[in-house]
Amino acid sequence: LACGHFPSFASPIIPLPLTSPPSLTHSLTFMSSESIPKQLSTFSTPQFKFLLLSSSNYNFALLKEFYFGLLYPYFYLEADELDSFEDFQKSLQAPYKSLHTKLLLIQDITNNRLAAAAVLEHYTKSDFLLNSYIVVDELYRGMKLSKMLVDKILEMLNGSETILVLETNDTTVTKSALDSALRLKIHHRLGYELIDVDYIQAKLDKDSLEVPNLLLLVHASRKQYLTKSKLKTFLEEFYEIVDCSKDFRKQRYWKHMIHSIDKRNGSGDNIRVLPYSEDS
């Protein structure tokens, strides 16, 4: 989430009392019995509720279940890029600079199992919301929980001009927990479209290299708020937090990325957003 690791706080991380976060909605979503995977057929029909973890609503037990029960098992092929559990603790317990992290969970209340989750990084200066992870427990796949998560995120953004974005691998990447082309297709089905920029991930620690084979997507329902100037503001804020270069503005990859925004999008402030295609 930040360059290398978050800076140490004055006091150690101490688990807070295990209170139950309030549900974001009082109406639970009931799934039809036909949609229940065979592995769950011996249980009651799943009934779901949303939970939101943040600095003002922190729960150590739920964070631990999310990280070790959901996130790590499904991103083990990308473990070298995965933020540590300790960094997740710190990011949820307190904002870091202008970055506020939240964790949106879907819990099956018939067995208290976490079924799906989305990690949300709100960059408050630029008002961009980066959906950095979205994961669904294998037992609950095929039940449209990813769509439930995205729909809830959009509901939370209603009335704002916050721009919802995410990063994903381009189709040349082979070392991935999920086939890159399939992942891109899933994001498209969830409503995301491609921003026309040569997006390059920052150096996340001092020994790593920049990552050029990534795509930056924006949700179609929020793209009307996206402009070249807003995108540049977000990228500056994002790099200031995560990049380990002493001065990223002097780096070749930064200059190339910013140049691609201007070169491809003309002299105005509009920016092109491309619909999904198999060749993306």
Side-chain angles (χ1 to χ4, degrees):
L1 296 174
C3 176
H5 298 282
F6 279 89
S8 300
F9 292 114
S11 58
I13 298 297
I14 300 173
L16 300 183
L18 303 183
T19 56
S20 296
S23 172
L24 291 180
T25 176
H26 295 292
S27 59
L28 303 178
T29 302
F30 292 85
M31 308 300 296
S32 66
S33 58
E34 289 80 8
S35 66
I36 304 174
K38 291 181 180 179
Q39 297 96 321
L40 292 177
S41 60
T42 57
F43 298 95
S44 303
T45 301
Q47 301 174 25
F48 298 114
K49 69 177 179 181
F50 291 94
L51 302 171
L52 186 67
L53 301 189
S54 65
S55 58
S56 60
N57 193 37
Y58 175 76
N59 184 293
F60 178 80
L62 282 175
L63 174 60
K64 187 175 180 180
E65 182 183 354
F66 154 74
Y67 189 88
F68 294 106
L70 263 183
L71 188 65
Y72 192 86
Y74 297 114
F75 283 91
Y76 67 94
L77 288 177
E78 302 165 39
D80 56 335
E81 300 176 16
L82 194 63
D83 296 294
S84 70
F85 179 67
E86 290 74 19
D87 281 353
F88 268 102
Q89 288 186 79
K90 293 174 182 179
S91 65
L92 279 171
Q93 286 190 332
Y96 178 67
K97 297 183 178 179
S98 60
L99 170 59
H100 295 243
T101 303
K102 297 181 180 181
L103 183 57
L104 180 63
L105 306 170
I106 295 180
Q107 184 182 57
D108 181 354
I109 65 172
T110 64
N111 55 21
N112 293 325
R113 182 180 181 132
L114 290 185
V119 179
L120 306 173
E121 300 177 20
H122 188 197
Y123 292 83
T124 54
K125 287 183 180 178
S126 57
D127 200 18
F128 272 63
L129 187 68
L130 176 65
N131 183 187
S132 53
Y133 295 98
I134 187 165
V135 59
V136 178
D137 188 305
E138 186 175 13
L139 294 182
Y140 294 91
R141 292 179 184 175
M143 303 175 77
K144 298 185 178 180
L145 297 192
S146 293
K147 185 178 185 304
M148 287 173 60
L149 285 168
V150 173
D151 288 348
K152 176 56 69 174
I153 294 168
L154 294 174
E155 179 185 320
M156 293 163 59
L157 297 181
N158 189 36
S160 75
E161 295 187 4
T162 304
I163 299 170
L164 177 61
V165 296
L166 60 77
E167 302 172 322
T168 191
N169 294 325
D170 70 21
T171 55
T172 65
V173 176
T174 56
K175 181 187 175 184
S176 177
L178 182 66
D179 178 77
S180 298
L182 177 58
R183 181 182 289 182
L184 185 59
K185 186 177 294 187
I186 291 171
H187 290 321
H188 167 66
R189 290 173 183 167
L190 293 174
Y192 286 93
E193 297 180 358
L194 177 65
I195 301 174
D196 192 13
V197 57
D198 287 344
Y199 180 64
I200 302 171
Q201 188 186 73
K203 294 183 178 182
L204 300 181
D205 61 64
K206 63 181 181 179
D207 297 320
S208 70
L209 298 174
E210 67 275 11
V211 182
N213 48 354
L214 286 176
L215 305 173
L216 186 63
L217 312 182
V218 61
H219 197 275
S221 67
R222 314 302 291 181
K223 66 181 180 181
Q224 69 267 30
Y225 305 121
L226 181 66
T227 63
K228 288 197 298 186
S229 55
K230 285 184 178 180
L231 179 58
K232 290 177 183 178
T233 299
F234 162 66
L235 292 173
E236 288 228 4
E237 180 182 12
F238 182 54
Y239 265 63
E240 284 174 355
I241 291 174
V242 305
D243 191 79
C244 288
S245 303
K246 291 184 178 179
D247 190 347
F248 63 84
R249 293 173 185 84
K250 295 180 180 179
Q251 301 298 322
R252 174 193 54 79
Y253 56 86
W254 171 263
K255 293 179 180 178
H256 174 85
M257 181 168 59
I258 297 302
H259 177 69
S260 75
I261 296 174
D262 294 323
K263 181 179 180 180
R264 294 182 183 180
N265 293 280
S267 58
D269 203 27
N270 293 330
I271 189 164
R272 288 201 305 166
V273 176
L274 307 175
Y276 170 81
S277 74
E278 295 288 345
D279 299 324
S280 295

